[in-house]
Protein backbone atom coordinates (compact mmCIF):
# COMPACT_ATOMS: atom_id res chain seq x y z
CA UNK A 1 0.00 0.00 0.00
CA UNK A 2 1.32 3.44 -0.94
CA UNK A 3 1.23 5.83 2.03
CA UNK A 4 2.63 9.12 3.31
CA UNK A 5 5.70 8.39 5.42
CA UNK A 6 6.53 11.96 6.49
CA UNK A 7 5.65 15.61 5.85
CA UNK A 8 8.04 18.56 5.96
CA UNK A 9 7.87 22.33 5.67
CA UNK A 10 10.74 24.78 5.32
CA UNK A 11 9.38 28.07 6.66
CA UNK A 12 12.56 29.97 5.70
CA UNK A 13 13.97 29.09 2.30
CA UNK A 14 17.26 27.14 2.66
CA UNK A 15 17.19 26.95 6.47
CA UNK A 16 16.35 23.68 8.24
CA UNK A 17 12.94 22.12 7.91
CA UNK A 18 10.19 21.15 10.31
CA UNK A 19 8.59 17.68 10.31
CA UNK A 20 4.85 17.58 10.90
CA UNK A 21 2.36 14.78 11.58
CA UNK A 22 -0.33 16.72 9.74
CA UNK A 23 -0.18 19.67 7.35
CA UNK A 24 -2.66 22.00 5.70
CA UNK A 25 -2.44 22.47 1.94
CA UNK A 26 -3.17 26.10 1.08
CA UNK A 27 -3.19 28.09 -2.11
CA UNK A 28 0.61 27.95 -2.60
CA UNK A 29 1.60 24.65 -1.00
CA UNK A 30 1.87 23.40 2.56
CA UNK A 31 0.97 26.08 5.09
CA UNK A 32 4.08 28.02 6.25
CA UNK A 33 6.33 26.44 3.60
CA UNK A 34 8.94 28.91 2.30
CA UNK A 35 7.01 32.05 3.15
CA UNK A 36 10.23 33.60 4.50
CA UNK A 37 13.50 34.09 2.63
CA UNK A 38 16.99 35.37 3.37
CA UNK A 39 18.11 38.07 0.91
CA UNK A 40 21.34 39.94 0.26
CA UNK A 41 21.78 43.70 0.14
CA UNK A 42 20.37 43.77 -3.41
CA UNK A 43 17.26 41.83 -2.27
CA UNK A 44 18.33 38.68 -4.11
CA UNK A 45 17.70 35.30 -2.52
CA UNK A 46 20.46 33.43 -0.67
CA UNK A 47 20.65 29.64 -0.37
CA UNK A 48 22.91 26.82 0.77
CA UNK A 49 24.33 26.68 -2.75
CA UNK A 50 26.64 29.54 -1.81
CA UNK A 51 26.14 29.63 1.97
CA UNK A 52 26.08 26.04 3.30
CA UNK A 53 26.20 27.48 6.82
CA UNK A 54 22.49 28.23 6.39
CA UNK A 55 21.86 24.53 7.04
CA UNK A 56 22.87 25.03 10.70
CA UNK A 57 19.93 27.34 11.44
CA UNK A 58 17.10 25.40 13.06
CA UNK A 59 13.52 26.55 12.63
CA UNK A 60 10.53 25.98 14.90
CA UNK A 61 6.86 26.91 14.67
CA UNK A 62 5.73 28.15 18.07
CA UNK A 63 2.14 29.33 18.18
CA UNK A 64 2.01 32.60 16.27
CA UNK A 65 5.79 32.90 16.18
CA UNK A 66 8.69 31.61 14.12
CA UNK A 67 11.80 30.78 16.14
CA UNK A 68 15.31 30.53 14.66
CA UNK A 69 18.18 28.92 16.59
CA UNK A 70 21.85 28.63 15.66
CA UNK A 71 25.06 27.63 17.45
CA UNK A 72 26.43 30.42 19.63
CA UNK A 73 23.39 32.65 19.08
CA UNK A 74 20.43 33.63 21.22
CA UNK A 75 17.18 32.53 19.56
CA UNK A 76 15.52 34.91 17.13
CA UNK A 77 11.72 35.13 17.35
CA UNK A 78 9.60 36.85 14.70
CA UNK A 79 5.86 36.83 13.95
CA UNK A 80 4.75 33.87 11.86
CA UNK A 81 2.52 36.17 9.79
CA UNK A 82 4.14 39.63 9.87
CA UNK A 83 1.73 42.49 9.17
CA UNK A 84 4.16 45.40 9.32
CA UNK A 85 7.41 46.22 7.57
CA UNK A 86 8.53 47.85 4.36
CA UNK A 87 7.31 46.25 1.14
CA UNK A 88 10.05 45.78 -1.42
CA UNK A 89 10.73 43.85 -4.62
CA UNK A 90 12.86 40.74 -4.11
CA UNK A 91 14.38 38.30 -6.59
CA UNK A 92 14.12 34.52 -6.50
CA UNK A 93 15.63 33.01 -9.63
CA UNK A 94 14.07 34.88 -12.59
CA UNK A 95 11.05 36.08 -10.62
CA UNK A 96 10.60 39.45 -8.96
CA UNK A 97 7.84 39.74 -6.42
CA UNK A 98 6.81 41.89 -3.49
CA UNK A 99 7.83 40.88 0.03
CA UNK A 100 7.75 42.44 3.47
CA UNK A 101 11.13 43.25 5.08
CA UNK A 102 11.32 42.26 8.75
CA UNK A 103 13.72 45.00 9.77
CA UNK A 104 17.02 45.44 11.56
CA UNK A 105 16.93 42.81 14.31
CA UNK A 106 16.54 39.77 12.02
CA UNK A 107 19.04 41.32 9.59
CA UNK A 108 21.67 41.73 12.33
CA UNK A 109 21.06 38.19 13.64
CA UNK A 110 21.38 36.54 10.22
CA UNK A 111 24.29 38.71 9.10
CA UNK A 112 26.25 37.89 12.25
CA UNK A 113 25.73 34.15 11.98
CA UNK A 114 26.08 33.79 8.20
CA UNK A 115 28.95 36.22 7.89
CA UNK A 116 27.46 38.27 5.05
CA UNK A 117 25.15 41.30 5.03
CA UNK A 118 21.61 40.00 4.64
CA UNK A 119 18.03 40.35 5.80
CA UNK A 120 14.80 38.43 6.25
CA UNK A 121 11.66 38.95 4.15
CA UNK A 122 8.16 37.47 4.19
CA UNK A 123 5.75 36.80 1.32
CA UNK A 124 2.38 38.34 2.26
CA UNK A 125 -0.91 36.83 1.13
CA UNK A 126 -1.37 39.57 -1.47
CA UNK A 127 1.77 38.53 -3.35
CA UNK A 128 1.09 36.03 -6.11
CA UNK A 129 4.00 34.10 -7.62
CA UNK A 130 2.95 31.70 -10.37
CA UNK A 131 4.51 28.40 -11.38
CA UNK A 132 5.57 27.80 -14.98
CA UNK A 133 2.33 28.24 -16.98
CA UNK A 134 3.60 25.75 -19.58
CA UNK A 135 3.12 23.02 -16.96
CA UNK A 136 -0.36 24.08 -15.87
CA UNK A 137 -1.66 26.65 -13.40
CA UNK A 138 -0.26 26.92 -9.91
CA UNK A 139 1.03 29.23 -7.17
CA UNK A 140 4.18 28.95 -5.11
CA UNK A 141 5.89 30.72 -2.23
CA UNK A 142 9.67 31.17 -2.25
CA UNK A 143 10.36 27.55 -3.28
CA UNK A 144 12.54 27.32 -6.38
CA UNK A 145 9.72 26.72 -8.86
CA UNK A 146 6.91 24.45 -7.63
CA UNK A 147 4.97 24.16 -4.36
CA UNK A 148 5.75 20.50 -3.64
CA UNK A 149 8.62 18.05 -3.85
CA UNK A 150 7.67 14.41 -3.41
CA UNK A 151 10.33 11.76 -2.74
CA UNK A 152 10.17 8.02 -2.12
CA UNK A 153 11.83 6.15 0.73
CA UNK A 154 12.42 3.13 -1.52
CA UNK A 155 14.16 5.34 -4.07
CA UNK A 156 16.43 6.59 -1.28
CA UNK A 157 17.24 3.01 -0.27
CA UNK A 158 18.09 2.16 -3.88
CA UNK A 159 20.37 5.17 -4.04
CA UNK A 160 22.13 3.95 -0.88
CA UNK A 161 22.47 0.46 -2.36
CA UNK A 162 24.25 2.00 -5.32
CA UNK A 163 26.75 3.80 -3.10
CA UNK A 164 25.25 7.11 -1.90
CA UNK A 165 23.97 6.52 1.63
CA UNK A 166 22.70 10.00 2.53
CA UNK A 167 19.73 11.03 4.69
CA UNK A 168 16.48 12.14 3.10
CA UNK A 169 16.85 15.61 4.61
CA UNK A 170 19.58 16.35 2.02
CA UNK A 171 16.82 16.36 -0.65
CA UNK A 172 14.47 18.67 1.30
CA UNK A 173 11.17 17.00 0.31
CA UNK A 174 7.72 18.11 1.40
CA UNK A 175 6.11 14.69 1.06
CA UNK A 176 7.89 11.36 1.52
CA UNK A 177 6.00 8.25 0.45
CA UNK A 178 6.44 4.56 1.25
CA UNK A 179 5.36 1.46 -0.63
CA UNK A 180 6.29 2.06 -4.29
CA UNK A 181 9.10 0.41 -6.26
CA UNK A 182 12.27 2.50 -6.52
CA UNK A 183 11.78 5.50 -8.81
CA UNK A 184 8.23 4.51 -9.72
CA UNK A 185 7.33 8.15 -9.06
CA UNK A 186 8.96 9.04 -12.39
CA UNK A 187 5.94 7.59 -14.19
CA UNK A 188 3.19 9.12 -12.09
CA UNK A 189 1.02 11.85 -13.59
CA UNK A 190 -1.71 12.44 -10.99
CA UNK A 191 -2.24 11.40 -7.40
CA UNK A 192 -4.50 12.12 -4.45
CA UNK A 193 -3.78 12.34 -0.73
CA UNK A 194 -6.87 12.74 1.42
CA UNK A 195 -8.99 15.53 -0.11
CA UNK A 196 -6.18 17.02 -2.21
CA UNK A 197 -5.39 16.13 -5.83
CA UNK A 198 -1.88 16.68 -7.20
CA UNK A 199 -0.38 16.87 -10.68
CA UNK A 200 3.19 15.72 -11.32
CA UNK A 201 4.92 18.45 -13.32
CA UNK A 202 8.40 17.03 -13.82
CA UNK A 203 11.32 15.17 -12.28
CA UNK A 204 13.30 17.34 -9.88
CA UNK A 205 16.81 18.19 -11.07
CA UNK A 206 19.15 18.21 -8.09
CA UNK A 207 21.83 20.77 -7.23
CA UNK A 208 24.79 21.15 -4.89
CA UNK A 209 22.53 21.67 -1.85
CA UNK A 210 22.22 17.86 -1.70
CA UNK A 211 25.97 17.66 -0.95
CA UNK A 212 25.71 19.86 2.16
CA UNK A 213 25.86 18.03 5.50
CA UNK A 214 23.44 19.96 7.74
CA UNK A 215 25.14 18.58 10.85
CA UNK A 216 28.29 20.60 10.12
CA UNK A 217 27.07 23.28 7.71
CA UNK A 218 29.54 22.44 4.97
CA UNK A 219 29.81 20.48 1.75
CA UNK A 220 30.56 16.87 2.70
CA UNK A 221 31.74 15.61 -0.68
CA UNK A 222 30.38 14.70 -4.11
CA UNK A 223 27.55 12.44 -2.96
CA UNK A 224 24.73 11.99 -3.79
CA UNK A 225 25.29 13.79 -7.10
CA UNK A 226 28.17 11.51 -8.14
CA UNK A 227 26.11 8.33 -7.81
CA UNK A 228 22.94 9.90 -9.22
CA UNK A 229 24.91 10.89 -12.33
CA UNK A 230 25.60 7.23 -13.09
CA UNK A 231 21.94 6.27 -13.51
CA UNK A 232 19.64 9.27 -13.04
CA UNK A 233 20.83 11.76 -15.65
CA UNK A 234 18.60 13.52 -18.15
CA UNK A 235 19.17 16.50 -20.42
CA UNK A 236 18.96 19.04 -17.58
CA UNK A 237 21.00 17.25 -14.92
CA UNK A 238 20.55 14.46 -12.38
CA UNK A 239 17.14 13.83 -10.84
CA UNK A 240 15.68 12.62 -7.56
CA UNK A 241 12.03 13.08 -6.63
CA UNK A 242 9.24 14.79 -8.54
CA UNK A 243 7.67 18.24 -8.38
CA UNK A 244 3.93 18.59 -7.84
CA UNK A 245 1.27 21.24 -8.09
CA UNK A 246 -2.07 20.84 -6.36
CA UNK A 247 -5.72 21.26 -7.25
CA UNK A 248 -7.73 22.22 -4.20
CA UNK A 249 -6.94 22.65 -0.51
CA UNK A 250 -7.32 20.55 2.62
CA UNK A 251 -5.38 18.68 5.28
CA UNK A 252 -3.07 15.71 4.72
CA UNK A 253 -1.37 13.55 7.33
CA UNK A 254 1.35 10.99 7.88
CA UNK A 255 -0.16 7.55 7.25
CA UNK A 256 -2.64 8.78 4.61
CA UNK A 257 -3.08 6.56 1.58
CA UNK A 258 -1.66 7.85 -1.69
CA UNK A 259 -3.99 7.08 -4.59
CA UNK A 260 -2.53 7.10 -8.09
CA UNK A 261 -4.57 8.28 -11.05
CA UNK A 262 -2.75 7.44 -14.28
Amino acid sequence: MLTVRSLHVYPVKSLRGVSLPRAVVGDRGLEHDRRFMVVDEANRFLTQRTLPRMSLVAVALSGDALRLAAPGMDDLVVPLRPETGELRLVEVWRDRCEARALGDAPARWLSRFLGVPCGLVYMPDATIRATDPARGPGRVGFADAYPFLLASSTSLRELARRGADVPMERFRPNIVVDGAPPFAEDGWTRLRIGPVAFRVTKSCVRCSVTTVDPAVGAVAGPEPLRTLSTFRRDGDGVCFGVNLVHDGIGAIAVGDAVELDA
Side-chain angles (χ1 to χ4, degrees):
M1 182 179 178
L2 187 59
T3 60
V4 175
R5 180 185 181 93
S6 59
L7 295 168
H8 310 270
V9 294
Y10 307 87
V12 185
K13 183 179 180 67
S14 232
L15 303 189
R16 286 188 179 177
V18 179
S19 297
L20 299 171
R22 177 182 179 275
V24 174
V25 177
D27 65 337
R28 64 198 79 194
L30 293 182
E31 187 177 31
H32 308 308
D33 189 52
R34 296 175 176 94
R35 292 297 292 268
F36 294 83
M37 183 169 69
V38 183
V39 296
D40 66 14
E41 291 181 298
N43 294 312
R44 293 184 297 253
F45 75 113
L46 294 172
T47 77
Q48 293 179 34
R49 294 170 180 85
T50 55
L51 287 173
R53 189 170 170 82
M54 294 177 76
S55 66
L56 293 174
V57 183
V59 179
L61 303 172
S62 179
D64 294 330
L66 179 76
R67 182 179 297 272
L68 305 186
M73 303 285 290
D74 293 333
D75 288 2
L76 173 69
V77 180
V78 300
L80 190 55
R81 298 182 182 276
E83 296 180 353
T84 60
E86 176 192 357
L87 291 173
R88 59 180 64 170
L89 283 178
V90 299
E91 292 185 23
V92 49
W93 295 112
R94 290 176 292 182
D95 294 336
R96 289 170 60 84
C97 56
E98 197 169 64
R100 191 178 299 282
L102 270 66
D104 291 341
R108 286 194 300 267
W109 193 96
L110 288 162
S111 299
R112 177 184 170 193
F113 183 73
L114 297 176
V116 297
C118 55
L120 188 65
V121 299
Y122 171 78
M123 180 182 284
D125 290 344
T127 293
I128 303 300
R129 181 174 172 237
T131 58
D132 183 354
R135 299 184 183 273
R139 292 181 179 179
V140 64
F142 287 130
D144 280 353
Y146 296 96
F148 294 92
L149 173 66
L150 178 146
S152 163
S153 61
T154 50
S155 299
L156 185 72
R157 288 195 292 271
E158 175 62 14
L159 179 60
R161 189 187 70 80
R162 289 174 178 258
D165 189 3
V166 298
M168 184 65 88
E169 66 180 319
R170 295 267 197 106
F171 295 101
R172 300 176 66 82
N174 298 109
I175 303 170
V176 179
V177 298
D178 240 347
F183 302 107
E185 61 272 19
D186 293 345
W188 299 347
T189 56
R190 291 181 178 271
L191 58 96
R192 177 176 292 275
I193 303 172
V196 185
F198 298 87
R199 290 172 279 124
V200 179
T201 61
K202 66 178 192 64
S203 295
C204 184
V205 176
R206 309 316 308 224
C207 70
S208 60
V209 170
T210 61
T211 67
V212 174
D213 181 353
V216 297
V219 173
E223 297 295 1
L225 296 181
R226 179 171 61 185
T227 297
L228 284 170
S229 70
T230 66
F231 75 112
R232 296 287 300 163
R233 181 174 290 280
D234 70 10
D236 297 320
V238 298
C239 298
F240 186 91
V242 291
N243 292 119
L244 312 176
V245 294
H246 56 299
D247 296 314
I249 59 176
I252 62 177
V254 172
D256 280 355
V258 179
E259 303 172 18
L260 300 181
D261 183 7

